[in-house]
Amino acid sequence: MSELWSALRPRLEHLTNPLPLAELQLADARRDEIAPLLIAELDALASDPAPAQADGYVLHLYAMLLLARWRDSRAYRPLAELGHLDESRVDTVFGQLVHDSYGRALASTCDGDLTPLTRLADDDAASTWARAAALEAMTLAALEGHCSRGPVIDFLADFGTREAQALRDNPEHNNDFPLIDPVAAHLADLGATEHLPLIREWFTAGLIDDSYVDATQLEHDIRRSPAAALTAVREAGHGLIDDLMPEIAIWPHIHHMPPVELPPIPLGALREPIVREEAKVGRNDPCPCGSGRKYKKCHGAN
């Protein structure tokens, strides 16, 4: 183990307040040295996720975000494998990042092979939220040119058709978050006008939650150019991961952590996070994370 990693790892293993900004900056500056060690952490967790289930353990989350920022495709498969954990373990391992960052990290590290994402999306035993992240990841990867658009559209249309039938057979199917909702939105983002009749059929059958996807807005969105769709996704904060601060700034405040003094590292600090005090959110209000879902179907589901 390198001397640098021996110094950094203890400072990145557990959630601290203030956040270890200098250490993250140092890891970013020395990415060629640090990346293989972070990938090894993800590989180990994919085999045995127990360490990530310890209270306050976040090394794997820093690893995910750094490797996503670096577009390191070596992280793609172990990250996708972690999504196959069951609902409770995904919630423990990823926390709110399964909603906010996981799908975008998968897209950021995607090497063009959709198989890890289609396997995760099709895994009925996996967490609904991880499966939704896989759908988000393949859509964003296609928009960014990391994979071909056609196979993603074909998969989403087929997946949506299967979800629609499952909902007809059992209206409680994926009750917390019906996956047909993001499928419709993703098809719109990809400009899949050839599937508008299918999407209209889903709306007519009452299978899509119009608080998540508005039919009129979707008719407009699906006709955007690919460039306009990608711009809209990025402006909504749902693009690839480039900056760690929007992903991590709120962590200590979510966990109501008191400040912890850490010995300084002689480096310029990253910019400090901006913390906004949010009003209490009602269960049926839009989630403040910006996902477009009702709070009860997003962060309020945890």
Side-chain angles (χ1 to χ4, degrees):
M1 186 182 294
S2 73
E3 183 177 343
L4 173 61
W5 185 235
S6 296
L8 282 183
R9 178 171 180 153
R11 306 280 287 272
L12 300 177
E13 279 190 317
H14 293 89
L15 183 60
T16 59
N17 186 17
L19 295 165
L21 303 184
E23 291 85 344
L24 292 168
Q25 185 183 41
L26 180 54
D28 193 52
R30 302 278 289 274
R31 64 182 65 177
D32 289 346
E33 181 179 350
I34 297 300
L37 300 166
L38 297 179
I39 291 161
E41 293 294 328
L42 294 180
D43 281 332
L45 283 180
S47 299
D48 177 14
Q53 296 179 270
D55 189 35
Y57 187 88
V58 292
L59 177 59
H60 61 301
L61 300 180
Y62 286 134
M64 175 179 77
L65 296 171
L66 284 167
L67 292 164
R69 167 174 158 75
W70 301 339
R71 306 291 187 265
D72 197 319
S73 61
R74 294 173 293 179
Y76 177 46
R77 281 166 176 76
L79 280 175
E81 196 60 34
L82 283 168
H84 289 275
L85 297 172
D86 61 43
E87 195 90 36
S88 63
R89 288 197 294 173
V90 160
D91 185 55
T92 303
V93 169
F94 287 107
Q96 72 166 25
L97 266 66
V98 73
H99 307 282
D100 301 343
S101 310
Y102 179 48
R104 295 163 49 237
L106 287 168
S108 298
T109 57
C110 179
D111 62 7
D113 179 7
L114 290 173
T115 305
L117 298 179
T118 58
R119 281 187 60 246
L120 177 52
D122 278 335
D123 184 358
D124 290 335
S127 159
T128 302
W129 304 110
R131 298 174 71 198
L135 298 171
E136 176 188 23
M138 64 180 73
T139 303
L140 180 56
L143 285 171
E144 290 282 1
H146 292 185
C147 64
S148 298
R149 175 177 167 274
V152 174
I153 290 175
D154 291 345
F155 178 83
L156 289 172
D158 177 69
F159 185 93
T161 299
R162 288 183 277 128
E163 285 293 299
Q165 187 58 54
L167 284 166
R168 291 185 180 101
D169 294 341
N170 175 16
E172 299 302 309
H173 176 68
N174 284 331
N175 187 47
D176 284 342
F177 184 38
L179 291 171
I180 198 169
D181 292 350
V183 164
H186 295 327
L187 285 170
D189 285 337
L190 291 168
T193 53
E194 66 272 30
H195 292 299
L196 257 177
L198 181 63
I199 297 170
R200 289 168 180 158
E201 179 185 315
W202 297 341
F203 274 110
T204 301
L207 302 178
I208 295 179
D209 182 349
D210 58 11
S211 72
Y212 184 89
V213 185
D214 178 78
T216 302
Q217 186 64 45
L218 184 142
E219 294 269 353
H220 169 269
D221 290 349
I222 204 168
R223 292 180 172 85
R224 294 175 298 188
S225 69
L230 179 56
T231 296
V233 166
R234 288 173 174 171
E235 289 179 348
H238 300 154
L240 299 178
I241 292 175
D242 293 312
D243 182 0
L244 266 62
M245 290 312 304
E247 317 299 328
I248 67 174
I250 199 69
W251 289 3
H253 308 281
I254 288 175
H255 294 274
H256 308 293
M257 295 184 64
V260 175
E261 291 298 326
L262 292 175
I265 284 184
L267 290 168
L270 296 174
R271 61 184 175 83
E272 291 293 332
I274 299 172
V275 179
R276 295 178 176 86
E277 293 295 331
E278 301 287 351
K280 185 175 180 180
V281 182
R283 295 276 294 161
N284 289 306
D285 292 340
C287 188
C289 77
S291 67
R293 308 170 194 136
K294 291 181 181 180
Y295 180 68
K296 69 181 179 183
K297 291 190 175 182
C298 192
H299 286 78
N302 293 334

